[in-house]
Amino acid sequence: MSGTRGVFAFAHIGDLHLEQPGDRNAIDLRAILAEVDGLHQSGLLDFAYLPGDLAEDGRAAQYKILTDALAAHSALPVRLIAGDHDRQHGRMTDFDALFAQVMGSRQGGRHQPRGHYLPRPQTPIYVPHYYYAETFAGVRCLFLDMISAGYGQKGFGLDFRLGPCQLDWLGSELAAADRDGLPCAVFTHTYPDDLTGPDEKATLAGLIRGHNVRLVEMGHTHYNELAHDGRTLYASARSVGQNEDGAVGYAVGAIDGAVTSWRFKPLDRKLPFVMITSPADRRLAAEPLVAGGTITVRALVLSNAPQEHWSCHARVDGGPPHPMHPVGPRTVEAQVPWPGGAHRLSVTAADGTGGSDAETIEPVSCAFTPPPAPKRPGSDAFRTQAWPGKGIRGDQLGPNRNGRDW
């Protein structure tokens, strides 16, 4: 699937951990899908992403909760991968059936597993892998499988691996995207630093650092987190199923030219939703702001109201409003004076329904210099601290850091 809408944008619905159809997380999932589907039908989002840990125990009955929910929104493109809970009992037979049903369909992009023989202590065995690639809105999206190549099983700890075949494929895909002039987004269950093998950690982090990867979108943490290394934004979203981080909802990620943006949308906050996609905030910047007295401001707007009802404007440091006008179905734009010493940029969107939303950023300066490569690439070592405007608490309340032992 491809698109030409200018700004690439998707919804990230965090780890589900489904168990029973009447559970709170299953109810929340259905509500999130209804909202995201409506936005997709208006041309505002490219797809919904599910980052693994779809079922608490990787069982068919738990996956049926998901397939039933997706069946009610059959026109919504869905892209999913596996997480460690999808192999809780040392096998992925039920996940394989889910992948065939969802990802093999038109809704899932008609993707099929790839089988590889992998080394094992006694003899190599044939292992299906669930990785694939697709282009949306001019961005090459690479969906990785960190689970199938491992030995993971409940009670034996995490064992995230990619395997040599998947790494070779990824390197070829990234090189091809470079030749085609396409930026890349990598979708994976967790940080590259969480891979079991040190060689795979270094190889994956090097591939991301060495190519035009703008975004690595992840689950697993159960909390919202952003870590930017000066080239690539690593982003993880709050769990739907095992959540201590705040109101349930979904994350919105976007790539607009050289700028990557991300913000969390709580389910209990009504639309509209707005996210500035250009210029970059100083904490997420990969390039300096172009020198001059005027900047181009663009923002993604999510609303169920017709675009002609939108009313959007930008302000610099609380100054006068500058009207913004639609450029395509999902974004608004304005040329805004940016005097020397300006610090904060805000965009407000209303849609005629009585509600409004605003985002404020601190644009990167003209003197920005990318930081040196981090000592632990592909990790959370360079994460941002609390950032309420993005939905980030900064206290890492999840089972793999500071949260409950779910």
Side-chain angles (χ1 to χ4, degrees):
M1 182 182 296
S2 63
T4 57
R5 293 190 175 97
V7 174
F8 164 68
F10 64 91
H12 175 170
I13 305 171
D15 298 17
L16 300 175
H17 293 276
L18 294 168
E19 295 187 76
Q20 299 293 332
D23 288 348
R24 182 72 254 174
N25 55 336
I27 296 169
D28 289 336
L29 168 64
R30 292 189 283 270
I32 292 170
L33 287 173
E35 182 165 301
V36 171
D37 188 17
L39 296 170
H40 168 73
Q41 290 183 34
S42 297
L44 307 181
L45 294 171
D46 290 305
F47 60 85
Y49 166 55
L50 302 175
D53 284 1
L54 309 174
E56 174 63 11
D57 298 301
R59 298 190 184 280
Q62 296 169 343
Y63 290 131
K64 188 176 185 302
I65 303 168
L66 175 58
T67 56
D68 286 349
L70 294 177
H73 304 283
S74 58
L76 172 65
V78 173
R79 302 297 179 262
L80 61 80
I81 59 173
D84 48 289
H85 277 257
D86 298 304
R87 192 183 181 164
Q88 279 286 66
H89 297 279
R91 60 181 180 83
M92 298 185 72
T93 307
D94 292 344
F95 179 86
D96 186 80
L98 170 77
F99 193 90
Q101 181 178 348
V102 176
M103 298 309 300
S105 70
R106 179 181 178 184
Q107 184 176 34
R110 303 196 186 284
H111 294 285
Q112 301 297 324
R114 303 164 186 256
H116 303 297
Y117 281 93
L118 295 180
R120 289 296 187 259
Q122 302 301 324
T123 182
I125 62 171
Y126 181 83
V127 178
H129 287 56
Y130 307 95
Y131 61 88
Y132 53 97
E134 200 167 345
T135 301
F136 290 89
V139 175
R140 191 62 172 165
C141 298
L142 306 165
F143 299 86
L144 304 188
D145 175 2
M146 283 187 163
I147 308 304
S148 301
Y151 298 78
Q153 186 170 343
K154 193 169 186 176
F156 290 89
L158 301 175
D159 186 37
F160 296 123
R161 299 176 190 266
L162 294 170
C165 300
Q166 185 174 185
L167 279 170
D168 288 346
W169 168 86
L170 178 61
S172 297
E173 281 283 344
L174 291 172
D178 286 347
R179 290 193 298 270
D180 294 340
L182 296 178
C184 294
V186 172
F187 296 82
T188 185
H189 184 59
T190 188
Y191 282 98
D193 191 58
D194 288 335
L195 287 166
T196 301
D199 290 344
E200 284 200 346
K201 287 185 187 184
T203 300
L204 179 56
L207 285 170
I208 291 169
R209 183 81 181 175
H211 293 275
N212 191 17
V213 178
R214 304 282 180 80
L215 173 67
V216 178
E217 190 75 17
M218 307 166 293
H220 188 62
T221 65
H222 291 203
Y223 45 80
N224 293 336
E225 184 167 83
L226 298 177
H228 194 266
D229 67 2
R231 290 173 58 90
T232 302
L233 174 62
Y234 292 81
S236 62
R238 184 175 296 166
S239 173
V240 173
Q242 296 179 353
N243 173 29
E244 304 167 64
D245 198 45
V248 72
Y250 56 93
V252 178
I255 296 177
D256 181 2
V259 181
T260 303
S261 305
W262 191 99
R263 190 180 179 213
F264 190 76
K265 161 61 174 71
L267 187 58
D268 61 7
R269 183 178 179 86
K270 293 183 179 180
L271 297 167
F273 169 92
V274 66
M275 181 171 70
I276 299 170
T277 63
S278 185
D281 184 273
R282 60 178 178 78
R283 290 157 284 193
L284 307 181
E287 296 181 357
L289 193 68
V290 177
T294 302
I295 60 173
T296 299
V297 178
R298 274 190 303 277
L300 171 73
V301 179
L302 303 183
S303 171
N304 291 324
Q307 195 177 59
E308 57 266 27
H309 294 170
W310 297 1
S311 176
C312 307
H313 60 264
R315 294 178 187 268
V316 176
D317 291 330
H322 300 274
M324 303 183 73
H325 306 287
V327 283
R330 58 179 65 166
T331 52
V332 292
E333 181 179 295
Q335 301 298 313
V336 176
W338 189 253
H343 181 58
R344 295 165 69 85
L345 172 68
S346 301
V347 170
T348 300
D351 63 0
T353 63
S356 66
D357 188 34
E359 184 181 34
T360 299
I361 67 168
E362 300 174 10
V364 62
S365 74
C366 299
F368 170 79
T369 301
K375 293 182 179 180
R376 281 180 55 204
S379 76
D380 64 359
F382 43 91
R383 66 187 176 92
T384 63
Q385 299 304 306
W387 193 348
K390 294 291 187 183
I392 296 169
R393 292 165 53 109
D395 50 9
Q396 294 187 314
L397 279 182
N400 304 298
R401 286 291 188 270
N402 303 320
R404 291 170 49 190
D405 183 8
W406 292 87

